[in-house]
Amino acid sequence: GAVVSQHPSWVICKSGTSVKIECRSLDFQATTMFWYRQFPKQSLMLMATSNEGSKATYEQGVEKDKFLINHASLTLSTLTVTSAHPEDSSFYICSAPGTGGILYGYTFGSGTRLTVV
Amino acid sequence: GENVEQHPSTLSVQEGDSAVIKCTYSDSASNYFPWYKQELGKGPQLIIDIRSNVGEKKDQRIAVTLNKTAKHFSLHITETQPEDSAVYFCAALLLTGFQKLVFGTGTRLLVSP
């Protein structure tokens, strides 16, 4: 089945630094990648949608200059948290529609636990 | 926009019992309803899904029912096992604008031996 590989699985960084999270579709082409943020004991909240070869679409309230998304190829999408602060500490998860399109299921990455100290 | 409500927030059952989790959605145009299981520190895993042209779907111990008129869908787990303990999320596909999944608030299921 479709697999989305997400790295790193966890990262600790200092306040003010930037962190890049990568998601790769291993056995299919992901023209779209969804990025979610999940705080402890809460649901997944969509942050942005990236589309290969075009600008990402950000949800209301998500700072596009802080959460930089790049979807440079059909198999790689990245999320960079710039100038990270402790309040950015969260679990970040990517997801892509599987082969056949959106109505054929979404595959999620394994998530990245970001801790900003 | 779409809103998905999920109940209960926590559910404790004895091993072997059945568990039922219910969700309601607001956008009548939604036509895809997946259920995900999330274990601690991991990404969600799809366990079953249903499309709006089907009223029920079953996969071994797991089943999902959909009532389009009432705009609600439910997850049924029979013969629960301790390894079923996890957080379960329902979701609905929002078709207006950019297609995106909207998640329920999650149900923490605890199956006691």
Side-chain angles (χ1 to χ4, degrees):
Chain A
V3 176
V4 173
S5 176
Q6 183 171 350
H7 294 279
S9 56
W10 61 270
V11 58
I12 301 173
C13 71
K14 292 184 178 180
S15 260
T17 61
S18 296
V19 172
K20 180 185 283 187
I21 301 170
E22 292 188 350
C23 279
R24 294 179 184 272
S25 54
L26 296 187
D27 48 2
F28 68 103
Q29 293 182 332
T31 56
T32 301
M33 191 73 76
F34 300 95
W35 287 93
Y36 294 86
R37 180 167 52 183
Q38 185 179 32
F39 291 108
K41 297 187 178 181
Q42 293 189 22
S43 188
L44 287 78
M45 298 302 296
L46 182 66
M47 298 175 64
T49 303
S50 72
N51 294 287
E52 188 268 336
S54 63
K55 290 184 178 180
T57 302
Y58 290 82
E59 295 300 300
Q60 193 170 9
V62 178
E63 301 175 59
K64 62 180 181 180
D65 294 331
K66 180 171 185 62
F67 298 99
L68 301 180
I69 289 175
N70 184 280
H71 198 143
S73 76
L74 289 172
T75 59
L76 176 63
S77 177
T78 62
L79 166 67
T80 301
V81 183
T82 63
S83 187
H85 291 287
E87 57 265 31
D88 298 324
S89 298
S90 188
F91 194 53
Y92 292 86
I93 313 169
C94 60
S95 173
T99 53
I102 285 177
L103 290 183
Y104 288 83
Y106 286 63
T107 298
F108 283 81
S110 53
T112 297
R113 171 77 57 196
L114 170 63
T115 302
V116 185
V117 298
Chain B
E2 174 70 283
N3 182 46
V4 178
E5 295 187 356
Q6 182 172 347
H7 300 281
S9 57
T10 59
L11 179 59
S12 294
V13 300
Q14 290 293 121
E15 182 176 2
D17 288 348
S18 295
V20 180
I21 303 171
K22 298 181 179 181
C23 288
T24 60
Y25 61 99
S26 60
D27 188 346
S28 57
S30 294
N31 66 351
Y32 174 65
F33 308 92
W35 285 89
Y36 292 91
K37 176 183 181 181
Q38 186 178 30
E39 297 177 332
L40 190 63
K42 297 183 179 180
Q45 282 192 309
L46 179 70
I47 56 172
I48 196 167
D49 58 11
I50 192 167
R51 291 167 177 72
S52 59
N53 59 346
V54 176
E56 184 175 358
K57 182 177 178 181
K58 188 174 182 180
D59 182 4
Q60 298 183 334
R61 297 187 297 110
I62 296 174
V64 56
T65 59
L66 171 65
N67 183 325
K68 286 175 53 181
T69 303
K71 291 189 285 188
H72 66 69
F73 56 113
S74 301
L75 176 71
H76 304 254
I77 305 175
T78 59
E79 300 173 30
T80 54
Q81 302 167 2
E83 49 266 37
D84 293 331
S85 297
V87 179
Y88 291 81
F89 291 98
C90 62
L93 180 63
L94 176 64
L95 294 179
T96 56
F98 284 100
Q99 295 184 345
K100 59 184 181 183
L101 280 176
V102 177
F103 284 85
T105 48
T107 297
R108 186 171 300 275
L109 174 65
L110 175 62
V111 181
S112 302

